mmCIF file of all heavy atoms in Angstrom:
data_model
loop_
_atom_site.group_PDB
_atom_site.id
_atom_site.type_symbol
_atom_site.label_atom_id
_atom_site.label_comp_id
_atom_site.label_asym_id
_atom_site.label_seq_id
_atom_site.Cartn_x
_atom_site.Cartn_y
_atom_site.Cartn_z
ATOM 1 N N TYR A 219 -198.177 29.825 -23.592
ATOM 2 C CA TYR A 219 -198.876 30.085 -24.824
ATOM 3 C C TYR A 219 -197.770 30.464 -25.804
ATOM 4 O O TYR A 219 -196.909 31.411 -25.499
ATOM 5 C CB TYR A 219 -199.841 31.380 -24.707
ATOM 6 C CG TYR A 219 -200.498 31.515 -26.056
ATOM 7 C CD1 TYR A 219 -201.590 30.771 -26.351
ATOM 8 C CD2 TYR A 219 -200.082 32.508 -26.875
ATOM 9 C CE1 TYR A 219 -202.276 30.957 -27.591
ATOM 10 C CE2 TYR A 219 -200.676 32.701 -28.101
ATOM 11 C CZ TYR A 219 -201.773 31.888 -28.475
ATOM 12 O OH TYR A 219 -202.358 32.100 -29.575
ATOM 13 N N PRO A 220 -197.847 29.852 -27.044
ATOM 14 C CA PRO A 220 -198.690 28.793 -27.362
ATOM 15 C C PRO A 220 -198.331 27.436 -26.520
ATOM 16 O O PRO A 220 -197.245 27.325 -26.108
ATOM 17 C CB PRO A 220 -198.441 28.586 -28.881
ATOM 18 C CG PRO A 220 -197.044 29.004 -29.068
ATOM 19 C CD PRO A 220 -196.827 30.206 -27.983
ATOM 20 N N GLY A 221 -199.383 26.558 -26.683
ATOM 21 C CA GLY A 221 -199.081 25.228 -25.868
ATOM 22 C C GLY A 221 -197.992 24.422 -26.329
ATOM 23 O O GLY A 221 -197.481 23.446 -25.654
ATOM 24 N N THR A 222 -197.422 24.698 -27.565
ATOM 25 C CA THR A 222 -196.367 23.891 -28.109
ATOM 26 C C THR A 222 -195.040 24.291 -27.548
ATOM 27 O O THR A 222 -194.007 23.652 -27.820
ATOM 28 C CB THR A 222 -196.349 24.086 -29.598
ATOM 29 O OG1 THR A 222 -196.221 25.485 -29.906
ATOM 30 C CG2 THR A 222 -197.567 23.445 -30.324
ATOM 31 N N VAL A 223 -194.959 25.301 -26.691
ATOM 32 C CA VAL A 223 -193.772 25.811 -26.065
ATOM 33 C C VAL A 223 -193.111 24.658 -25.297
ATOM 34 O O VAL A 223 -191.846 24.439 -25.298
ATOM 35 C CB VAL A 223 -193.893 27.039 -25.188
ATOM 36 C CG1 VAL A 223 -192.715 27.386 -24.419
ATOM 37 C CG2 VAL A 223 -194.378 28.205 -26.091
ATOM 38 N N ILE A 224 -193.791 23.874 -24.519
ATOM 39 C CA ILE A 224 -193.297 22.796 -23.685
ATOM 40 C C ILE A 224 -192.767 21.745 -24.646
ATOM 41 O O ILE A 224 -191.614 21.184 -24.387
ATOM 42 C CB ILE A 224 -194.427 22.209 -22.783
ATOM 43 C CG1 ILE A 224 -194.776 23.328 -21.734
ATOM 44 C CG2 ILE A 224 -193.942 20.997 -22.043
ATOM 45 C CD1 ILE A 224 -193.641 23.941 -20.894
ATOM 46 N N ASP A 225 -193.390 21.372 -25.692
ATOM 47 C CA ASP A 225 -192.832 20.338 -26.695
ATOM 48 C C ASP A 225 -191.507 20.850 -27.251
ATOM 49 O O ASP A 225 -190.604 20.100 -27.391
ATOM 50 C CB ASP A 225 -193.893 20.174 -27.790
ATOM 51 C CG ASP A 225 -195.078 19.476 -27.356
ATOM 52 O OD1 ASP A 225 -195.054 18.764 -26.278
ATOM 53 O OD2 ASP A 225 -196.200 19.700 -27.914
ATOM 54 N N THR A 226 -191.438 22.118 -27.533
ATOM 55 C CA THR A 226 -190.190 22.662 -28.116
ATOM 56 C C THR A 226 -189.098 22.714 -27.091
ATOM 57 O O THR A 226 -187.991 22.276 -27.388
ATOM 58 C CB THR A 226 -190.447 24.145 -28.659
ATOM 59 O OG1 THR A 226 -191.633 24.124 -29.579
ATOM 60 C CG2 THR A 226 -189.211 24.704 -29.268
ATOM 61 N N LEU A 227 -189.481 23.027 -25.880
ATOM 62 C CA LEU A 227 -188.346 22.973 -24.757
ATOM 63 C C LEU A 227 -187.893 21.549 -24.624
ATOM 64 O O LEU A 227 -186.737 21.368 -24.382
ATOM 65 C CB LEU A 227 -188.988 23.535 -23.420
ATOM 66 C CG LEU A 227 -189.197 24.988 -23.391
ATOM 67 C CD1 LEU A 227 -190.000 25.419 -22.116
ATOM 68 C CD2 LEU A 227 -187.917 25.721 -23.373
ATOM 69 N N GLU A 228 -188.851 20.536 -24.521
ATOM 70 C CA GLU A 228 -188.427 19.221 -24.391
ATOM 71 C C GLU A 228 -187.500 18.723 -25.568
ATOM 72 O O GLU A 228 -186.497 17.994 -25.331
ATOM 73 C CB GLU A 228 -189.644 18.318 -24.314
ATOM 74 C CG GLU A 228 -190.391 18.455 -22.987
ATOM 75 C CD GLU A 228 -191.610 17.673 -22.972
ATOM 76 O OE1 GLU A 228 -192.200 17.266 -24.064
ATOM 77 O OE2 GLU A 228 -192.224 17.528 -21.882
ATOM 78 N N ASN A 229 -187.799 19.197 -26.791
ATOM 79 C CA ASN A 229 -186.943 18.908 -28.034
ATOM 80 C C ASN A 229 -185.621 19.442 -27.802
ATOM 81 O O ASN A 229 -184.622 18.820 -28.230
ATOM 82 C CB ASN A 229 -187.760 19.358 -29.299
ATOM 83 C CG ASN A 229 -188.883 18.537 -29.602
ATOM 84 O OD1 ASN A 229 -189.069 17.420 -29.211
ATOM 85 N ND2 ASN A 229 -189.844 19.078 -30.390
ATOM 86 N N ILE A 230 -185.664 20.628 -27.252
ATOM 87 C CA ILE A 230 -184.283 21.382 -27.107
ATOM 88 C C ILE A 230 -183.443 20.506 -26.035
ATOM 89 O O ILE A 230 -182.246 20.106 -26.303
ATOM 90 C CB ILE A 230 -184.317 22.758 -26.585
ATOM 91 C CG1 ILE A 230 -184.981 23.581 -27.678
ATOM 92 C CG2 ILE A 230 -183.033 23.375 -26.215
ATOM 93 C CD1 ILE A 230 -185.376 24.955 -27.420
ATOM 94 N N LEU A 231 -184.031 20.113 -24.967
ATOM 95 C CA LEU A 231 -183.303 19.398 -23.980
ATOM 96 C C LEU A 231 -182.897 17.991 -24.516
ATOM 97 O O LEU A 231 -181.940 17.465 -24.014
ATOM 98 C CB LEU A 231 -184.267 19.158 -22.679
ATOM 99 C CG LEU A 231 -184.481 20.412 -21.933
ATOM 100 C CD1 LEU A 231 -185.453 20.106 -20.738
ATOM 101 C CD2 LEU A 231 -183.255 21.091 -21.373
ATOM 102 N N ASN A 232 -183.723 17.446 -25.411
ATOM 103 C CA ASN A 232 -183.452 16.019 -25.842
ATOM 104 C C ASN A 232 -182.486 16.088 -27.122
ATOM 105 O O ASN A 232 -182.059 15.062 -27.509
ATOM 106 C CB ASN A 232 -184.770 15.372 -26.274
ATOM 107 C CG ASN A 232 -185.461 15.050 -25.092
ATOM 108 O OD1 ASN A 232 -185.027 14.492 -24.113
ATOM 109 N ND2 ASN A 232 -186.818 15.211 -25.087
ATOM 110 N N SER A 233 -182.143 17.298 -27.479
ATOM 111 C CA SER A 233 -181.245 17.348 -28.762
ATOM 112 C C SER A 233 -179.748 17.216 -28.282
ATOM 113 O O SER A 233 -179.387 17.230 -27.163
ATOM 114 C CB SER A 233 -181.483 18.715 -29.352
ATOM 115 O OG SER A 233 -180.821 19.722 -28.644
ATOM 116 N N ASN A 234 -178.936 17.167 -29.320
ATOM 117 C CA ASN A 234 -177.430 17.010 -29.077
ATOM 118 C C ASN A 234 -176.842 18.391 -29.139
ATOM 119 O O ASN A 234 -175.600 18.508 -29.226
ATOM 120 C CB ASN A 234 -176.831 16.056 -30.144
ATOM 121 C CG ASN A 234 -177.185 14.647 -29.840
ATOM 122 O OD1 ASN A 234 -177.400 14.278 -28.666
ATOM 123 N ND2 ASN A 234 -177.453 13.902 -30.883
ATOM 124 N N SER A 235 -177.648 19.441 -29.240
ATOM 125 C CA SER A 235 -177.125 20.825 -29.350
ATOM 126 C C SER A 235 -176.163 21.203 -28.176
ATOM 127 O O SER A 235 -176.424 20.834 -27.032
ATOM 128 C CB SER A 235 -178.268 21.741 -29.424
ATOM 129 O OG SER A 235 -177.826 23.044 -29.374
ATOM 130 N N SER A 236 -175.157 21.973 -28.493
ATOM 131 C CA SER A 236 -174.240 22.509 -27.418
ATOM 132 C C SER A 236 -174.732 23.898 -26.975
ATOM 133 O O SER A 236 -174.018 24.438 -26.110
ATOM 134 C CB SER A 236 -172.847 22.572 -28.072
ATOM 135 O OG SER A 236 -172.847 23.431 -29.166
ATOM 136 N N THR A 237 -175.836 24.334 -27.546
ATOM 137 C CA THR A 237 -176.304 25.646 -27.199
ATOM 138 C C THR A 237 -177.703 25.591 -26.629
ATOM 139 O O THR A 237 -178.477 26.470 -26.731
ATOM 140 C CB THR A 237 -176.400 26.649 -28.462
ATOM 141 O OG1 THR A 237 -177.249 26.013 -29.424
ATOM 142 C CG2 THR A 237 -175.009 26.771 -29.091
ATOM 143 N N LYS A 238 -177.865 24.617 -25.871
ATOM 144 C CA LYS A 238 -179.241 24.331 -25.208
ATOM 145 C C LYS A 238 -179.700 25.502 -24.350
ATOM 146 O O LYS A 238 -180.847 25.979 -24.543
ATOM 147 C CB LYS A 238 -179.301 23.090 -24.317
ATOM 148 C CG LYS A 238 -179.213 21.865 -25.101
ATOM 149 C CD LYS A 238 -179.213 20.643 -24.353
ATOM 150 C CE LYS A 238 -178.948 19.419 -25.107
ATOM 151 N NZ LYS A 238 -178.915 18.253 -24.305
ATOM 152 N N LEU A 239 -178.895 26.079 -23.464
ATOM 153 C CA LEU A 239 -179.227 27.136 -22.648
ATOM 154 C C LEU A 239 -179.652 28.415 -23.540
ATOM 155 O O LEU A 239 -180.603 29.144 -23.185
ATOM 156 C CB LEU A 239 -178.120 27.601 -21.724
ATOM 157 C CG LEU A 239 -178.415 28.698 -20.673
ATOM 158 C CD1 LEU A 239 -179.673 28.421 -19.896
ATOM 159 C CD2 LEU A 239 -177.151 28.876 -19.925
ATOM 160 N N THR A 240 -178.789 28.726 -24.431
ATOM 161 C CA THR A 240 -179.194 29.878 -25.396
ATOM 162 C C THR A 240 -180.571 29.644 -26.114
ATOM 163 O O THR A 240 -181.300 30.618 -26.157
ATOM 164 C CB THR A 240 -178.039 30.129 -26.436
ATOM 165 O OG1 THR A 240 -176.836 30.246 -25.693
ATOM 166 C CG2 THR A 240 -178.347 31.318 -27.303
ATOM 167 N N GLU A 241 -180.747 28.438 -26.611
ATOM 168 C CA GLU A 241 -181.966 28.232 -27.289
ATOM 169 C C GLU A 241 -183.163 28.316 -26.323
ATOM 170 O O GLU A 241 -184.269 28.877 -26.669
ATOM 171 C CB GLU A 241 -181.954 26.808 -27.815
ATOM 172 C CG GLU A 241 -180.882 26.681 -28.973
ATOM 173 C CD GLU A 241 -180.859 25.163 -29.531
ATOM 174 O OE1 GLU A 241 -181.862 24.578 -29.855
ATOM 175 O OE2 GLU A 241 -179.684 24.864 -29.702
ATOM 176 N N ILE A 242 -183.087 27.797 -25.074
ATOM 177 C CA ILE A 242 -184.081 27.843 -24.118
ATOM 178 C C ILE A 242 -184.395 29.370 -23.782
ATOM 179 O O ILE A 242 -185.605 29.735 -23.692
ATOM 180 C CB ILE A 242 -183.820 27.066 -22.853
ATOM 181 C CG1 ILE A 242 -183.811 25.521 -23.188
ATOM 182 C CG2 ILE A 242 -184.764 27.390 -21.741
ATOM 183 C CD1 ILE A 242 -183.177 24.643 -22.163
ATOM 184 N N ARG A 243 -183.431 30.030 -23.550
ATOM 185 C CA ARG A 243 -183.519 31.520 -23.201
ATOM 186 C C ARG A 243 -184.258 32.254 -24.268
ATOM 187 O O ARG A 243 -185.179 33.003 -24.057
ATOM 188 C CB ARG A 243 -182.150 32.119 -22.903
ATOM 189 C CG ARG A 243 -182.240 33.537 -22.376
ATOM 190 C CD ARG A 243 -180.923 34.128 -22.080
ATOM 191 N NE ARG A 243 -180.025 33.270 -21.364
ATOM 192 C CZ ARG A 243 -178.650 33.343 -21.290
ATOM 193 N NH1 ARG A 243 -178.091 34.236 -22.054
ATOM 194 N NH2 ARG A 243 -177.997 32.502 -20.600
ATOM 195 N N SER A 244 -183.838 31.945 -25.531
ATOM 196 C CA SER A 244 -184.408 32.730 -26.678
ATOM 197 C C SER A 244 -185.822 32.346 -26.810
ATOM 198 O O SER A 244 -186.752 33.240 -27.104
ATOM 199 C CB SER A 244 -183.630 32.329 -28.028
ATOM 200 O OG SER A 244 -182.344 32.828 -27.878
ATOM 201 N N LEU A 245 -186.171 31.087 -26.729
ATOM 202 C CA LEU A 245 -187.633 30.627 -26.863
ATOM 203 C C LEU A 245 -188.526 31.300 -25.737
ATOM 204 O O LEU A 245 -189.583 31.741 -26.099
ATOM 205 C CB LEU A 245 -187.638 29.044 -26.752
ATOM 206 C CG LEU A 245 -189.075 28.463 -26.863
ATOM 207 C CD1 LEU A 245 -189.629 28.648 -28.295
ATOM 208 C CD2 LEU A 245 -189.020 27.004 -26.465
ATOM 209 N N LEU A 246 -188.056 31.204 -24.565
ATOM 210 C CA LEU A 246 -188.835 31.790 -23.489
ATOM 211 C C LEU A 246 -188.936 33.349 -23.537
ATOM 212 O O LEU A 246 -189.856 33.934 -22.951
ATOM 213 C CB LEU A 246 -188.283 31.347 -22.080
ATOM 214 C CG LEU A 246 -188.496 29.884 -21.845
ATOM 215 C CD1 LEU A 246 -187.981 29.466 -20.399
ATOM 216 C CD2 LEU A 246 -189.957 29.420 -21.926
ATOM 217 N N LYS A 247 -188.012 33.913 -24.254
ATOM 218 C CA LYS A 247 -187.964 35.489 -24.349
ATOM 219 C C LYS A 247 -189.127 35.879 -25.303
ATOM 220 O O LYS A 247 -189.666 36.922 -25.167
ATOM 221 C CB LYS A 247 -186.659 35.941 -24.895
ATOM 222 C CG LYS A 247 -186.489 37.461 -24.882
ATOM 223 C CD LYS A 247 -185.235 37.833 -25.469
ATOM 224 C CE LYS A 247 -184.169 37.706 -24.361
ATOM 225 N NZ LYS A 247 -182.841 38.305 -24.871
ATOM 226 N N VAL A 248 -189.476 35.021 -26.255
ATOM 227 C CA VAL A 248 -190.566 35.437 -27.333
ATOM 228 C C VAL A 248 -191.885 34.745 -27.089
ATOM 229 O O VAL A 248 -192.783 34.973 -27.830
ATOM 230 C CB VAL A 248 -190.069 35.161 -28.729
ATOM 231 C CG1 VAL A 248 -188.717 36.063 -29.050
ATOM 232 C CG2 VAL A 248 -189.653 33.710 -28.905
ATOM 233 N N ASN A 249 -192.017 33.856 -26.091
ATOM 234 C CA ASN A 249 -193.243 33.089 -25.861
ATOM 235 C C ASN A 249 -193.705 33.315 -24.376
ATOM 236 O O ASN A 249 -192.799 33.656 -23.494
ATOM 237 C CB ASN A 249 -193.138 31.578 -26.050
ATOM 238 C CG ASN A 249 -192.855 31.264 -27.609
ATOM 239 O OD1 ASN A 249 -193.845 31.274 -28.254
ATOM 240 N ND2 ASN A 249 -191.603 31.104 -27.994
ATOM 241 N N SER A 250 -194.896 33.217 -24.129
ATOM 242 C CA SER A 250 -195.346 33.391 -22.836
ATOM 243 C C SER A 250 -195.498 32.222 -22.013
ATOM 244 O O SER A 250 -196.135 31.174 -22.292
ATOM 245 C CB SER A 250 -196.796 33.978 -22.837
ATOM 246 O OG SER A 250 -196.970 35.245 -23.500
ATOM 247 N N VAL A 251 -194.651 32.163 -20.863
ATOM 248 C CA VAL A 251 -194.636 31.114 -19.904
ATOM 249 C C VAL A 251 -194.799 31.738 -18.543
ATOM 250 O O VAL A 251 -193.985 32.563 -18.170
ATOM 251 C CB VAL A 251 -193.458 30.200 -19.957
ATOM 252 C CG1 VAL A 251 -193.437 29.157 -18.923
ATOM 253 C CG2 VAL A 251 -193.231 29.524 -21.305
#
């Protein structure tokens, strides 16, 4: 919750970002999975 969390996680994994792990950790810290 919200349901868009998975879409956001997929977008992070599909990005060219060099901070993917940090972004994933931050997202899951503030959203319910």
Side-chain angles (χ1 to χ4, degrees):
Y219 182 82
T222 57
V223 171
I224 297 302
D225 293 333
T226 305
L227 288 170
E228 290 174 342
N229 288 338
I230 292 169
L231 292 176
N232 290 318
S233 74
N234 291 326
S235 173
S236 62
T237 60
K238 290 179 186 180
L239 179 57
T240 302
E241 292 176 49
I242 291 168
R243 187 182 310 158
S244 297
L245 180 67
L246 292 180
K247 190 180 277 189
V248 297
N249 292 282
S250 296
V251 176

